[in-house]
Amino acid sequence: MAQPVRVRGLTEQEGQKLQHIVRRGSTSSVRFRRAMMLLASAGGSTAPVIARLVQADEDTVRDVIHRFNEIGLACLDPRWAGGRPRLLDRDDEDFVVQTATTRLTVLGKPFTRWSIRKLADHLRRNVARPVRIGREALRCLLARRGISFQRTKTWKESPDADFEAKLARIEYAVNQRPDRTFAFDEFGPLGIRPTAGSCWAEHGRPDRLPAIYRRTHGITYFHGCYSVGDDQMWGINRRRKGIDHTWAALRSIRAARPDGAPIYVILDNLSAHLTRALHAYLRWRNQNARHPDVLATQRRERARIRSEKGIRWGGRALMSFEIGI
């Protein structure tokens, strides 16, 4: 009759290590179950009994015992092999990287940067080349290909088709007619409060400004004009923005050259472009709203994490009467 499979004699260090894993637990359920198998075998239990104890197959128990007798505690760590084949080939990975690094305005997206969720959703819904990839796999792929989340840098770039023609007119006015060229802009809202800046001072003794203030006059808007030829500026503070104040500023420019000859006024319309961008994002956001079931699941998960925060950091579990149940 064949002898039952049993672990060899445990050294003191091996026994302490196995007891520590079983008593304190382990981040790996595989290590925990294998440690229980070895301790049970060392205590005299047979493979069928151990299999029922850890809810495993008898052959699995025997394999673990044989591996321990051969290589010791190294048998606790699983050595995974095989697995399902890769779902993405090299071309798919290149397409993912290309999409992640493409400027979003080129792709017609009304926001400035990808999140992992938005990028994965865009790849899955791409009609031309759909790519199904999970968020964690996408994050690992980008990290493996050297793509990291970085802060973008901005510069002024006009989408106007007549930009070059308008720029040529501005350069003509500034260079050829500076005495009849003015710039006008509205700036605000302005709040009266201390703002940190820079100054010359002794080393380690910067000038200090009080951080508390009283806003007794609300906010104000500054309407300013600049004469290119004279290198002079003037302006006025207003309680609000409005077309009447803009016309008043333009009349002050006309009054500076009362001869009735043509004058050139340079101003911008950045607010109109900004408004279009904001409304484009609102339309995209409302069209891609998350499903109510997903939102409910996320709220429950956040509530569970908050309720277990004390337990996860070593606190005591709340009793039923403490949490209102």
Side-chain angles (χ1 to χ4, degrees), residues 92-149:
D92 290 333
E93 292 186 356
D94 293 340
F95 177 74
V96 171
V97 172
Q98 179 184 0
T99 304
T101 55
T102 300
R103 188 178 300 178
L104 294 178
T105 54
V106 178
L107 299 176
K109 297 298 181 181
F111 40 85
T112 58
R113 60 180 180 267
W114 288 118
S115 65
I116 292 295
R117 181 179 65 83
K118 289 179 180 178
L119 180 56
D121 185 68
H122 170 76
L123 292 170
R124 184 176 66 255
R125 298 186 181 185
N126 192 349
V127 178
R129 185 172 186 172
V131 176
R132 299 186 62 86
I133 183 172
R135 299 183 191 177
E136 187 60 29
L138 177 58
R139 185 181 292 108
C140 294
L141 169 60
L142 296 177
R144 187 170 66 253
R145 299 292 292 271
I147 307 299
S148 60
F149 191 78

Side-chain angles (χ1 to χ4, degrees), residues 272-324:
H273 298 305
L274 182 58
T275 301
R276 286 196 296 268
L278 288 175
H279 283 284
Y281 177 77
L282 290 177
R283 288 192 298 270
W284 177 90
R285 178 65 180 81
N286 293 334
Q287 293 172 358
N288 292 271
R290 285 167 288 181
H291 194 276
D293 294 342
V294 176
L295 295 177
T297 302
Q298 291 176 344
R299 285 193 292 268
R300 288 195 298 268
E301 181 65 15
R302 286 194 294 266
R304 184 190 65 80
I305 293 176
R306 286 194 299 270
S307 66
E308 296 181 355
K309 184 176 181 180
I311 302 175
R312 289 186 291 113
W313 293 104
R316 63 184 181 87
L318 296 178
M319 302 299 292
S320 61
F321 62 85
E322 293 180 299
I323 59 178

Side-chain angles (χ1 to χ4, degrees), residues 27 40 54 114 146 175 184 205 314:
T27 57
V54 299
W114 288 118
N175 297 325
F184 167 71
R205 296 179 178 273

Side-chain angles (χ1 to χ4, degrees), residues 80-313:
W80 307 117
R84 70 178 184 178
R86 290 168 56 91
L87 299 180
L88 301 181
D89 55 21
R90 183 71 178 185
D91 293 338
D92 290 333
E93 292 186 356
D94 293 340
F95 177 74
V96 171
V97 172
Q98 179 184 0
T99 304
T101 55
T102 300
R103 188 178 300 178
L104 294 178
T105 54
V106 178
L107 299 176
K109 297 298 181 181
F111 40 85
T112 58
R113 60 180 180 267
W114 288 118
S115 65
I116 292 295
R117 181 179 65 83
K118 289 179 180 178
L119 180 56
D121 185 68
H122 170 76
L123 292 170
R124 184 176 66 255
R125 298 186 181 185
N126 192 349
V127 178
R129 185 172 186 172
V131 176
R132 299 186 62 86
I133 183 172
R135 299 183 191 177
E136 187 60 29
L138 177 58
R139 185 181 292 108
C140 294
L141 169 60
L142 296 177
R144 187 170 66 253
R145 299 292 292 271
I147 307 299
S148 60
F149 191 78
Q150 303 179 20
R151 186 175 297 275
T152 58
K153 298 183 182 296
T154 61
W155 68 92
K156 292 183 180 295
E157 181 178 353
S158 175
D160 191 350
D162 299 329
F163 173 75
E164 296 296 336
K166 294 178 180 178
L167 180 61
R169 292 201 299 269
I170 293 176
E171 291 180 348
Y172 168 79
V174 172
N175 297 325
Q176 303 298 326
R177 297 291 187 268
D179 56 331
R180 310 200 63 84
T181 301
F182 301 85
F184 167 71
D185 201 1
E186 300 171 335
F187 184 68
L190 300 175
I192 308 302
R193 65 175 183 267
T195 303
S198 58
C199 66
W200 294 101
E202 295 182 14
H203 181 69
R205 296 179 178 273
D207 189 17
R208 302 201 178 262
L209 299 174
I212 54 176
Y213 66 95
R214 294 180 61 190
R215 180 179 288 180
T216 58
H217 303 291
I219 59 176
T220 185
Y221 294 88
F222 179 74
H223 294 67
C225 302
Y226 172 68
S227 174
V228 177
D230 301 334
D231 194 21
Q232 296 292 316
M233 296 185 64
W234 70 92
I236 186 171
N237 289 331
R238 302 286 188 178
R239 303 289 297 178
R240 59 179 177 81
K241 296 174 69 174
I243 187 61
D244 52 342
H245 298 153
T246 301
W247 280 118
L250 294 176
R251 283 194 295 269
S252 69
I253 294 176
R254 179 75 271 182
R257 297 293 185 270
D259 53 9
I263 58 176
Y264 303 88
V265 180
I266 303 172
L267 51 85
D268 61 44
N269 60 343
L270 177 62
S271 60
H273 298 305
L274 182 58
T275 301
R276 286 196 296 268
L278 288 175
H279 283 284
Y281 177 77
L282 290 177
R283 288 192 298 270
W284 177 90
R285 178 65 180 81
N286 293 334
Q287 293 172 358
N288 292 271
R290 285 167 288 181
H291 194 276
D293 294 342
V294 176
L295 295 177
T297 302
Q298 291 176 344
R299 285 193 292 268
R300 288 195 298 268
E301 181 65 15
R302 286 194 294 266
R304 184 190 65 80
I305 293 176
R306 286 194 299 270
S307 66
E308 296 181 355
K309 184 176 181 180
I311 302 175
R312 289 186 291 113
W313 293 104

